[in-house]
Amino acid sequence: MTLIIDENLCTSCSECVECCPMDIIRLDENGIPYQKYNECWYCGVCEEDCPENALVIELPFLVK
Amino acid sequence: MELNTDLLIIGGGSAGTMAAIVAKEQNPDIDVLIIEKAEINRSGSIAMGMDALNIVIQPGLSTSEQYLDSVKIITEGILDYKPSLVMAERSYALLKRLESWGIHFPQNEDEEYISLQVHAKGKFLVEMDSPDLKLVLAKKVKEAKVKVLNRTIITKLLVKEGRVNGALGFNVRSGEFVVCKAKAVILANGGCARFSLPNSGYLYGTFDYPGNAGDGYALAYHAGAQLTGFEYTSCSPLIKDLNCPLLYITLTRGAEVVNALGETLDFEYLSPQFMLNELREGRGPIFIKMNHLPEERIKEIENILFTTERPIQKRFWEERGVDFREGLIELGETEYQLCGGHGFTGIVVNERAETSLKGLYAAGDVACVPFQHLTGAFVFGEIAAEEAIKYASTIKHIELDPSSLKEEEKRLQNIIDINKKGAISVQEFEYKVRRKISDYAIPPKNETKLNQMLWWIQRFRAEVSDIKISDYHELSKFEEIRFILDCAELSVRASLTRKESRWGWFHYRIDFPERDDEKWLKHVILEKNKTNGEMKVSLRDIKDRWK
């Protein structure tokens, strides 16, 4: 289960890190968001609030 | 970090934001602080909005009496009528308040709100078209100049001279210890969504927001407040594997439920228990069928499901290759949860949102106002604020006891320190705890089974020191496991006490299979024994209308 990021669109603004209700997203050394903790509720807030539409959630394998 | 406030609200979801806004409305000079575990713009159970206000008594269309009759049927008489009555009476004003804030309630051509019947006795459910509900509430909170502290988990309520006078916790990112002194505290931090294990096996694939780990139940219990309804372990038939809701949205628009034999289920009003029974009796899988609906109806359903509350459904169905025009939607049983909004598990409150502990109020899923749904969270948010403000204006701060602050800070530091050698990941530990809850704490129940759970709870509490904690995020998960274990004990002790079966499957005791109104038309009350620290169970009479 991962976040799929369009690196051409992502501006490393951190909005996804700040809005996530489970607080599981962080930026890597290149400023690209990744899912640090395996606790996604697939609420979709990060997709919705990303100002660049640069992010898509992949559903957990156990669920999809 | 040391904070000082007149009113502390723990949890910034539906109930907590409403409480904060109303508190400032009542008295703009009062100091109000929300401490939120996530981030207030998108926190709680309504992060992506909600499609309906489940209980609205509209003048000329339904009455509070009809609502009380309906909720009495669902609770099978285990209901103090006053809180539910007050909620019903204030529900229309609440709708009007939300509407004045820009929340959209669609109307038909006769300018009536679109109302649907899901209860036994009346049309109480009003459609709401509001994917941005939480953003609106968060904005109102900021405009009202309420202080907000995000990413902070509360781990302990402070009590002195029989009064709640503050709370302790830490920032889940930095680990900074937070001390907050308050004249009054409102608990608004949800139910316990992470109770039994979802059938998908995915820990966080729960129906309700998994940040709700029973924090409020555990905090209130250890502070000395009374709790009730913990034997009511409930689940719902929702989208199998995904555990996202769609029942009301589809069935109130003409969809049908069919079983494995192709039979259409016939029910008088929406009964999740009736549907789940098909699964238990071997007539599953069960499905929602919509292929008989006109295209415009299907589009309307898709529009709600794919924009509000859990829009991820769109991708789920695309990946599974299911189109509502042809395909069937398989329903599965969710995990079991403890909740004051969808059930009646919670902190005991009266019609003024007061708990049994001075200075402590509760609103939303953390409080027992049976089947209050979103309406109850908002109305009791309002009430809790009104009452807490009145109370806070009459008293002075009680100084915090430095030794209890130090003790809690040291306890948290020790978990990180001593567990460096620990070998079990926090997730693996939680998996096992919830696996055992699935094995022993949910129906069908019997005394031996429930006692097995008590044995496991003791063992888990001894084993938590083996958990490997490497950062403060994991420390917050450790604390949540502690809350889940407390909820499991509350539930098992309540289930052991109620020696009868009630609420269909949800408290089905194989060793006491009959409902016994003569003996058991009572509340099972749980609280911490102040002398020995053990869990005390007692029975209390129902506060019925006629008594």
Side-chain angles (χ1 to χ4, degrees), chain A residues 18 37 40-41 47 49, chain B residues 42 151 202 310 315 471:
Chain A
E18 296 313 319
Y37 303 97
C40 176
W41 187 45
E47 283 187 19
D49 288 0
Chain B
R42 295 293 200 177
R151 305 290 177 200
Y202 177 56
R310 305 303 304 277
R315 192 165 313 141
D471 62 19

Side-chain angles (χ1 to χ4, degrees), chain B residues 432-459:
Chain B
K432 187 165 171 181
V433 167
R434 291 173 58 197
R435 179 68 252 160
K436 292 301 164 198
I437 290 173
S438 300
D439 288 342
Y440 302 121
I442 61 172
K445 304 172 185 177
N446 66 53
E447 190 174 324
T448 310
K449 207 171 156 183
L450 293 164
N451 280 325
Q452 287 290 93
M453 189 69 226
L454 288 181
W455 185 88
W456 274 105
I457 291 167
Q458 293 315 313
R459 181 166 154 152

